[in-house]
Amino acid sequence: MPSYYNIDDVLMEDEPISVVFQVGANGVGLLDPGSETNNIEKGAKVDLPFWLAHELYLRQAVSTNVPACFSMKTRKEIQADASCVDLRFRCPYFYELGYKIAPLVGDKSIGAFLRYAFTSRYGEILSKSHSTAGTAPKFSARLTKEESQLFEAARSSMAAFKKWKIGGSRLEKASILGRKRKTTLPQPSIP
Amino acid sequence: MAGQSDSHLLSFSAPEVEFLAEDELVEIIPNLRMDALNMICGDFGPFFPQIATKVPLWLAVALKKRGKCSFRPPEWMSVERLTQVLEAERESPREFQPLPFHYVEISKLLIDNGHEDIPDIYMVRSLIEDIRDVRFHKVETGLETISGRTHAVKLKNLSAMEVNIVRPFMVRALQAFYKLDSPEMIQQPEATVNRRPRVIDRGPRVSLQIRPFSLYYVSMLLSDYCHFNFISI
């Protein structure tokens, strides 16, 4: 369910999707950088953000192609060694996008592919997340946004527990109280 | 705002869990004479020197800091008892031994504040640490088995702090699996391009009709004995 206030949802919907126009469209030439006129002809291949592609798809104006991150090449790589694939580079919102794009494209196998990818990458996230202290390890650069949220959730809760165990002051100052107030009173002149 | 819990992850911060643990009763031996204290949560005292009485942990710590009492360590905090528990934890890979729900927090507060009242304090401390490590390792092995078919996780005898550490991860993982395994996502494709493990033996999937409910269910089971972690979703 898209959430109006969820920034990740908003960013996810900005992912470019390659679509093929099923009808000619006038006055929207700016969508197609290669277009010479101000119109898009029927059958033109254009990259549109997901939110626009979705709306146009519902109006049957375009047909969507499977995005590159769900290509056969990626699938082969995932099958070979899921945890080594840099999914963030392919698409930072890999799972969300897959989840949303699956009903739009004819490819029925995306759902199962996503589940397979997540299940096989989950193990590594789990094994590293609670034991990593301090800085994030190198492998976290390969995680998609969803995966790194999962990773961070575990890491930060463990870090918070460790911090509590070591101790320290139990009362913490609110951040706003830390600011120094500027004194506006004029300095008394030293005689 | 480090002391406050993150509303996104529906979890408490460690100091907040400690705060809840301070309501547990512990035994103290006062060295002062004082009338009974009548508080909303109950009446405690009256206090007579050298006569043990039960008070909430926060009161015990406050009295201890003023030098007005000494702790009497709970029965489960003895070296023999903890050794038994540790043995049992190591022997049963799938079960957790019954310990007080707030054992991590209680033992920390007692150890930090009452060095001289607890016999074999270093031994007790390292035993508790070992027990916690063994138990946490078990939780992690359990988490490895989560898959799309997991709708709820039951962790009996898990303590408040342990639940609290693992909750953000577990809730998110279950959410992700639930989403990716929803029936509209997993259709039988005509041409299978990737090997999908266990796809044939998928049993009848009981879909939970209302999604928020399944989360409630998860957090309910996660907490087993505790009754405080329904904030909002």
Side-chain angles (χ1 to χ4, degrees), chain A residues 72 75 79 96 99 108 111-113 115-116 118 122 126 130 150 154 157 161 164-165 170 172, chain B residues 2 18 22 108 129 132 140 143-144 161 165 169 172 179-181 185 187 193-194 196-197 202:
Chain A
M72 220 37 130
R75 290 182 197 213
Q79 268 179 42
E96 268 303 307
Y99 183 72
K108 295 274 193 296
F113 166 61
R115 197 187 59 181
Y116 176 74
F118 186 73
Y122 168 75
L126 170 65
H130 284 106
L150 188 64
S157 69
F161 170 71
W164 170 79
K165 207 170 63 176
R170 297 186 56 201
E172 287 192 36
Chain B
E18 183 191 277
E22 286 178 343
K108 179 180 184 276
E129 197 69 353
R132 206 189 54 75
E140 278 191 309
L143 280 175
E144 275 168 30
M161 194 53 94
I165 293 171
F169 181 84
R172 276 174 191 276
K179 195 167 184 180
L180 292 177
D181 205 53
M185 284 299 286
Q187 293 150 337
V193 281
N194 52 338
R196 286 161 304 128
R202 281 168 53 82

Side-chain angles (χ1 to χ4, degrees), chain A residues 68-87:
Chain A
C69 53
F70 305 107
S71 67
M72 220 37 130
K73 188 164 165 276
T74 316
R75 290 182 197 213
K76 288 247 164 70
E77 282 176 21
I78 290 274
Q79 268 179 42
D81 189 354
S83 53
C84 282
V85 183
D86 186 350
L87 279 184

Side-chain angles (χ1 to χ4, degrees), chain A residues 15-29:
Chain A
E15 285 293 319
I17 307 289
S18 149
V19 300
V20 177
F21 270 81
Q22 301 295 313
V23 290
N26 291 336
V28 288

Side-chain angles (χ1 to χ4, degrees), chain B residues 10 31 106 132 231:
Chain B
L10 339 162
N31 55 16
I106 294 174
R132 206 189 54 75
I231 315 172

Side-chain angles (χ1 to χ4, degrees), chain A residues 12 17 50 54 57 64-67 69-70 75 93-115, chain B residues 179-180 182-187:
Chain A
M12 189 283 295
I17 307 289
F50 174 80
H54 183 62
Y57 174 82
T64 44
N65 295 327
V66 180
C69 53
F70 305 107
R75 290 182 197 213
Y93 297 94
F94 184 77
Y95 300 104
E96 268 303 307
L97 185 69
Y99 183 72
K100 297 225 164 140
I101 201 111
L104 270 61
V105 294
D107 195 346
K108 295 274 193 296
S109 61
I110 285 183
F113 166 61
L114 285 179
R115 197 187 59 181
Chain B
K179 195 167 184 180
L180 292 177
S182 57
E184 64 263 31
M185 284 299 286
I186 307 294
Q187 293 150 337

